[in-house]
Amino acid sequence: MSKKINVLPVILCGGSGSRLWPLSRTNFPKQFLVLSGNASLFQQAISRFYGIVNSDIQIKKPLIVTNEEHRFIVLEQLRELKEISAQLILEPEARNTAPALTLAALQATYAGEDPVLVVTPADQIIKDEDAFNKSIKKAIQVAELGSIAVLGIAPDSPETGFGYIMRQGNAGKYGEYNVKQFVEKPDLVIAQRYLENPNFTWNSGIFVLKASVWLDALKFFRSDIYSATQLSFEKLSKDGQFIRPEKKLFNKIPSESIDYAVIESCPNSKFQINVIELNAGWNDLGSWHAVWKDSEKDGLNNFASGDVIMENTNNSYINASHRLVCASDVNNLIIVETADAILIANRETSQSVKKIFSKLQSHKREERVSHRKVFRPWGWFDVIDEGEKFKVKKIGVNPGASLSLQRHLKRAEHWVVIKGTAEILNNNQVLTLTENQSTYIPIGIKHRLSNPGSVPLEIIEVQSGSYLGEDDIERFEDIYGRK
């Protein structure tokens, strides 16, 4: 019996939230959005690996590399998958994909093993999972022999937003081609030329290679990134399923992508690199135009979600989250409505949303960073209204979850239960409240809100005081390790 190939899925779960603003934000980037089906892009990315198991392949527990700020969103979305568990490497700061993959490779080889890493972004659509599985299995076989395999997408349009791979020669045993060169994002004329040439594919950003091969290649091409990442990894700390590289050392790592650091230098080097075609309905959803293109549309080429009324509207994408949105006599528009922002853009040039995102950053607008509804490890809160010396929130607490034991020095709070059962510690008094019951938390009093029940708890919180910022919290105990 042949030995099984150990395969470690590595999910790169970063992102700034700029391309699909205002649905995506810095604290809630696009991989956590549900844009296709009933699962988020991240949930789809991690779930599809469980279709590639066969007699030759053994899938190890996935490794997710994500930002420290996103850890509880990842855990909540993993919890919804129920039967899937994973380890999380938490980056204290974004340093691009090369350091992220290096952390994963160091963790993969820490106990003397050398699995094949299947490295994928968390924010792509794959419609034909059977075709994906077949291509990945071929790539795993190629990688087991010591090569680097990258999945290439046969282009169906002259796309100027993707990098391209140029292949050469004949296909090998597993359908792999040698890579001649990688090509940067072309202009429209050159992209049209690539479209007509079968030797060019889009670069999917999905790589399959042994952990040791990545580390050897990184040492060869970018020893500075390797050394700095290794120093940070050697001083890591572990907290349950969280793996944290040392923060100060990690922040000194040069920021670089997998492609620029290693992959684009591999052709004509000592590192063998192959491309395997992926024909599986792939889409990286890199713009609202791409989302529109991937969506199911009506007879006038429109996609609508939410409370939307259209009249003489064509070729448009309209997403209403909170309010009625009406469109009349318009064409080729992107309209995205959220609780705190509305985007209206030309569909064909919707890549320019990144410029709006940059302006929001320069103006220090909170709408760039977070939604009005903010997720926490215990649940979420939504700021319904606020004004001078008052703020009204709707708060949701997951079953069995609890907020920290805390107090506020500048605000008082009134809590009214609207759904479920609340257990409240209020100045050493323990209260159990159900729907329509309430309590008052004076300034400076220690308190805690918990959900002892099996259904979500929802309350209305009315804050009043001289300062209502989120940083007016003094924590005494917290099961999530926050300070």
Side-chain angles (χ1 to χ4, degrees), residues 37-238:
N38 298 315
S40 72
L41 299 178
F42 163 69
Q43 289 172 321
Q44 292 179 43
I46 197 168
S47 296
R48 69 174 62 105
F49 282 105
Y50 292 88
I52 66 175
V53 179
N54 64 19
S55 59
D56 300 321
I57 296 171
Q58 179 173 319
I59 301 294
K60 298 172 70 68
K61 181 187 291 188
L63 194 55
I64 299 164
V65 187
T66 191
N67 190 280
E68 178 82 25
E69 296 299 319
H70 299 153
R71 66 194 187 280
F72 293 118
I73 302 174
V74 171
L75 286 184
E76 176 61 20
Q77 295 204 349
L78 283 174
R79 185 186 66 81
E80 292 174 357
L81 297 176
K82 294 180 181 179
E83 296 181 0
I84 296 177
S85 61
Q87 275 197 306
L88 276 64
I89 296 179
L90 302 180
E91 298 177 300
E93 182 176 301
R95 308 307 293 160
N96 217 318
T97 53
L101 176 52
T102 307
L103 288 172
L106 290 168
Q107 176 63 24
T109 57
Y110 183 73
E113 298 182 352
D114 187 17
V116 171
L117 309 181
V118 180
V119 185
T120 178
D123 56 2
Q124 300 180 345
I125 288 286
I126 301 288
K127 289 190 172 179
D128 187 343
E129 296 205 354
D130 287 338
F132 173 80
N133 294 339
K134 289 176 182 177
S135 293
I136 286 291
K137 287 174 184 176
K138 293 176 182 178
I140 289 169
Q141 297 291 345
V142 170
E144 178 67 7
L145 297 175
S147 179
I148 299 171
V150 55
L151 298 190
I153 313 298
D156 58 11
S157 61
E159 178 61 57
T160 61
F162 297 148
Y164 285 72
I165 305 168
M166 183 181 182
R167 71 190 190 192
Q168 63 183 354
N170 298 318
K173 178 180 178 181
Y174 301 105
E176 77 278 15
Y177 289 85
N178 289 334
V179 174
K180 183 176 182 180
Q181 69 177 113
F182 290 86
V183 184
E184 283 300 301
K185 299 173 184 177
D187 61 30
L188 187 59
V189 174
I190 295 176
Q192 183 63 45
R193 196 183 309 157
Y194 292 165
L195 178 64
E196 297 165 0
N197 188 332
N199 287 323
F200 283 89
T201 59
W202 292 333
N203 185 347
S204 70
I206 301 173
F207 305 99
V208 184
L209 72 173
K210 281 193 167 184
S212 61
V213 170
W214 169 258
L215 295 175
D216 288 344
L218 186 67
K219 278 187 274 188
F220 184 78
F221 293 116
R222 288 298 303 268
S223 60
D224 57 334
I225 295 176
Y226 174 83
S227 298
T229 309
Q230 186 182 42
L231 285 174
S232 177
F233 180 82
E234 287 174 348
K235 296 185 179 298
L236 64 77
S237 60
K238 290 188 177 182

Side-chain angles (χ1 to χ4, degrees), residues 7 10 16 30 43 52 59 68 141 164 184 207 216 218-219 236 259 299 312 333 347 359 373 394 409 427 480:
V7 174
V10 176
S16 64
K30 70 173 179 176
Q43 289 172 321
I52 66 175
I59 301 294
E68 178 82 25
Q141 297 291 345
Y164 285 72
E184 283 300 301
F207 305 99
D216 288 344
L218 186 67
K219 278 187 274 188
L236 64 77
D259 298 81
N312 193 28
L333 283 187
R347 177 176 57 78
K359 287 191 174 181
K373 186 175 184 178
K394 186 177 181 181
L409 300 180
N427 196 26
Y480 309 106

